[in-house]
Amino acid sequence: MRRSRCVLMSVLLMIADGLIVKGPSGPLVAPLGSSVVLSCSVDELLSVKDLEVEWRRTDSETLVHLYQDGESRTAAQQQDYQDRAHFFTDQIQHGNFSLRLDDLRAEDEGQYKCKVYIQQESGETVVQIKVNAERLLVSGSDQHISSSVGEDVTLSCSVDSHIPPGDFEEVSWKKTDEDIQVLLYQNNEAHSSNERYRDRVKLFPAEIHKGNFSLRLKSIRTEDKGVYMCKVFAGGLSANATVELERLAPGSIIKAAALLNQPHALHNAEA
Ligand SMILES: *[C@@H]1O[C@H](CO)[C@@H](O)[C@H](O)[C@H]1NC(C)=O
Ligand SMILES: *[C@@H]1O[C@H](CO)[C@@H](O)[C@H](O)[C@H]1NC(C)=O
Ligand SMILES: *[C@@H]1O[C@H](CO)[C@@H](O)[C@H](O)[C@H]1NC(C)=O
């Protein structure tokens, strides 16, 4: 009597549990631009017949990856994930349905559900991604640069985060007090369309891969006086640093002060 009740209970438990799908034990924390493996597996895979694995974001229901009828259905997944989500087809036979997400972006932060269907059974696990709180940090020059009209000056701007070179979407140098686009770096090329600056500005090509977008401004003129902002867009984030050129009279000294994104910095520099 006792034994049969026990058997009955375990049968009920098995039905209630369905397929047991395992995921990672905690949130995955990874830096911007890196790759993470979102794990999802079953202990024992008896058959791959009618196997379907669906990876979705839980917030938007966006389809990240779909494996159905023996193949990855790339046309069904959201476009942004087609190049960035890698499903290990060769691991399926081991009951491993993990997904690698490359080139991690700020907006990838969130929860991902791996839902596995095998014949009549199904089960799921949820994986959480946290993009490392390390923000995109851009810093300018924190020392004063002295130069005279007619000379050349370097306005510093460098990205402190570990971002792969290919991940810089755009870097813009603007003179903010006059709203002039001084230089724009896009698709690995720097352009300057403003007449005043066109032939006088350049980046340092050998430095770009280090995240150094410092600007060389040649043959300084009096009207160059003002505030310059370097704004960097990468991995879905943006950040800026500001440099001020001041006291620009013929033969005088130019002081370039970095404002380092601090609200009081401008004030201090003026003091
Ligand atoms: C599944 O495969 C991936 C890629 O080879 C691997 O990183 C992961 O550790 C595997 N997971 C399990 C549970 O075997
Ligand atoms: C960026 O490159 C310029 C030009 O080579 C150099 O003067 C500057 O020190 C570099 N900045 C950093 C942070 O490496
Ligand atoms: C520059 O950065 C500061 C602080 O990070 C931010 O508050 C400000 O909106 C940014 N400015 C622009 C024009 O992006």
Side-chain angles (χ1 to χ4, degrees):
M1 177 67 196
R2 209 178 178 168
R3 188 159 179 267
S4 65
R5 193 183 285 169
C6 207
V7 168
L8 180 66
M9 273 188 54
S10 27
V11 168
L12 281 174
L13 269 177
M14 271 174 65
I15 292 169
D17 277 343
L19 196 62
I20 297 173
V21 179
K22 290 182 177 170
S25 50
L28 305 172
V29 183
L32 220 54
S34 68
S35 298
V36 274
V37 175
L38 289 73
S39 70
C40 171
S41 61
V42 294
D43 279 341
E44 208 179 355
L45 186 64
L46 298 174
S47 157
V48 292
K49 192 171 175 288
D50 298 331
L51 169 73
E52 188 177 318
V53 181
E54 198 182 85
W55 276 99
R56 272 184 199 279
R57 291 194 64 139
T58 60
D59 49 359
S60 54
E61 288 291 309
T62 301
L63 189 64
V64 179
H65 189 269
L66 177 65
Y67 180 84
Q68 198 180 43
D69 300 330
E71 56 184 321
S72 286
R73 300 276 171 185
T74 50
Q77 79 199 106
Q78 210 221 24
Q79 190 139 26
D80 176 46
Y81 290 114
Q82 286 181 7
D83 301 327
R84 298 197 300 126
H86 177 84
F87 190 67
F88 303 96
T89 312
D90 58 337
Q91 293 292 319
I92 293 172
Q93 53 184 334
H94 306 301
N96 182 349
F97 315 120
S98 301
L99 188 76
R100 191 185 70 222
L101 191 57
D102 294 327
D103 185 14
L104 209 61
R105 313 170 64 83
E107 59 265 29
D108 290 333
E109 188 155 294
Q111 291 191 328
Y112 295 73
K113 185 168 70 186
C114 168
K115 187 151 190 180
V116 181
Y117 302 85
I118 303 172
Q119 291 162 9
Q120 266 74 50
E121 290 196 287
S122 72
E124 61 184 54
T125 187
V126 172
V127 181
Q128 191 184 358
I129 296 186
K130 283 191 173 166
V131 178
N132 213 346
E134 165 201 54
R135 291 188 316 126
L136 183 63
L137 285 177
V138 176
S139 52
S141 131
D142 45 8
Q143 80 251 48
H144 295 174
I145 307 164
S146 302
S147 183
S148 306
V149 165
E151 289 187 353
D152 301 348
V153 70
T154 300
L155 308 180
S156 287
C157 171
S158 59
V159 183
D160 299 332
S161 319
H162 304 282
I163 294 177
D167 280 14
F168 293 107
E169 283 130 34
E170 187 182 302
V171 176
S172 129
W173 269 103
K174 262 195 176 158
K175 188 170 191 296
T176 58
D177 54 333
E178 292 180 272
D179 197 24
I180 294 175
Q181 179 86 64
V182 175
L183 182 137
L184 187 65
Y185 175 83
Q186 255 179 342
N187 306 322
N188 303 314
E189 272 182 67
H191 300 280
S192 178
S193 52
N194 184 272
E195 209 171 312
R196 196 202 296 174
Y197 290 101
R198 196 185 299 145
D199 303 320
R200 295 196 297 132
V201 290
K202 69 172 187 72
L203 297 179
F204 298 90
E207 294 286 326
I208 290 173
H209 74 278
K210 300 180 212 162
N212 181 351
F213 292 98
S214 297
L215 183 80
R216 188 70 171 163
L217 174 56
K218 281 185 270 187
S219 180
I220 290 195
R221 303 172 185 171
T222 311
E223 70 256 33
D224 291 340
K225 170 183 158 71
V227 179
Y228 293 78
M229 178 182 278
C230 161
K231 189 164 178 178
V232 178
F233 298 81
L237 296 174
S238 76
N240 65 71
T242 314
V243 180
E244 191 177 6
L245 285 188
E246 49 185 15
R247 283 200 269 139
L248 212 65
S252 81
I253 288 171
I254 297 161
K255 203 169 80 183
L259 305 177
L260 290 172
N261 297 333
Q262 290 158 11
H264 342 279
L266 177 56
H267 189 76
N268 292 343
E270 281 171 340

